[in-house]
Amino acid sequence: MTVVKICGVRTVEAAVTAAENGADVIGMIFAPSPRLIDISTAQEIAKAVVPAHTKRDPAATTDELNKECNMSAPEYFKACSDKLLSYGRPLLCGVFQNQDLDHILSVVRQVPLDLVQLHGTEPVQVARQIPVPVIKVFHVGADFTVDTAGLFDTGYHSVILLDTKVPAAGAQQGGHGVQFDWTVARSLSDRNVPFLMAGGLSPDNVDKAVKVARPWGVDVSSGVETDRAKDPAKIQAFINNAKAA
């Protein structure tokens, strides 16, 4: 069943809606963005969707995997994805973009976060300095191939994320609702490498996207919004359609 990440969540209500409808990952943006969230609201979301008695430390899972130097890329990323799903609850992900490591670590501790998403041009090696598993974005533009340097490096990021490169957006990538060629993503699944896919997804097209690209998971933000606010009905429809595909 397809993993679903609802990103750009800014309210407890939206987070609870996502969690109750089966979202696997709830993303909160801590980088400059119209969807920027403050620490106190993120902490309220954490309290609302993560029961106090549940295990909160997926970091140990990737520490163990990082020692497995003999794993191939398909083996490594599948093991990472399986470990993340073993927690049986929505994971909280903080999204950052070319920001200071000290800031990232501070937010991880304060919220606290289960995952960090690096959505800029950070080298994959940065992931080793972050104490929770890392989702690393690779922006799909006209010159992109899946053999892009770093994409298959093991022992750093735990999850590969493909998102559309939007040249007109400059440094602020992500959340623009622009699609890329899904057959590019399919070339990853053909190699048996699990990955997340974002870029212009919505309740109306996620079924087709999953069937074409066969991703491990899908990631949406603007596609489940109405008037720039998360829409409960769209969140529910997106999750249902993604998981039924």
Side-chain angles (χ1 to χ4, degrees):
M1 189 175 293
T2 308
V3 166
V4 175
K5 176 172 174 278
I6 304 295
C7 201
V9 171
R10 289 181 290 165
T11 66
V12 170
E13 292 76 16
V16 170
T17 296
E20 289 181 344
N21 282 281
D24 303 284
V25 183
I26 295 172
M28 298 175 286
I29 297 177
F30 296 95
S33 165
R35 301 178 182 89
L36 177 67
I37 192 171
D38 59 77
I39 294 291
S40 60
T41 303
Q43 290 171 331
E44 289 302 313
I45 288 173
K47 291 176 184 176
V49 301
V50 181
H53 64 277
T54 58
K55 185 165 56 172
R56 288 212 59 128
D57 185 22
T61 64
T62 48
D63 286 343
E64 295 165 2
L65 292 169
N66 288 343
K67 297 174 183 176
E68 298 291 339
C69 299
N70 59 340
M71 280 188 175
S72 67
E75 291 171 334
Y76 174 80
F77 289 111
K78 184 177 188 306
C80 286
S81 58
D82 288 347
K83 287 283 188 180
L84 293 177
L85 292 181
S86 71
Y87 284 78
R89 61 166 175 82
L91 299 177
L92 299 179
C93 178
V95 181
F96 302 87
Q97 191 168 38
N98 301 324
Q99 289 164 280
D100 290 341
L101 180 62
D102 287 345
H103 173 65
I104 296 173
L105 298 180
S106 176
V107 176
V108 169
R109 289 191 300 268
Q110 289 182 74
V111 175
L113 297 174
D114 300 303
L115 301 165
V116 160
Q117 179 174 316
L118 297 177
H119 208 78
T121 57
E122 306 90 349
V124 296
Q125 291 79 7
V126 172
R128 276 287 185 92
Q129 303 176 65
I130 297 172
V132 295
V134 168
I135 299 170
K136 181 68 183 86
V137 72
F138 295 86
H139 293 111
V140 182
D143 57 349
F144 178 87
T145 72
V146 295
D147 295 307
T148 296
L151 193 150
F152 294 124
D153 289 356
T154 61
Y156 299 106
H157 52 292
S158 298
V159 180
I160 296 166
L161 169 62
L162 299 183
D163 196 2
T164 311
K165 184 176 183 179
V166 183
Q172 189 179 307
Q173 294 291 316
H176 298 289
V178 179
Q179 294 179 26
F180 64 86
D181 181 356
W182 295 333
T183 62
V184 173
R186 176 61 178 261
S187 64
L188 259 186
S189 58
D190 285 345
R191 298 188 189 195
N192 297 315
V193 176
F195 63 95
L196 276 171
M197 184 173 76
L201 299 178
S202 71
D204 295 329
N205 67 15
V206 68
D207 173 85
K208 182 177 179 181
V210 169
K211 290 176 179 176
V212 171
R214 291 170 44 195
W216 171 69
V218 288
D219 186 344
V220 67
S221 184
S222 62
V224 290
E225 293 179 348
T226 299
D227 297 328
R228 294 183 176 271
K230 289 292 183 284
D231 184 320
K234 289 182 179 180
I235 290 173
Q236 182 178 18
F238 184 90
I239 295 170
N240 289 344
N241 293 348
K243 290 188 177 292

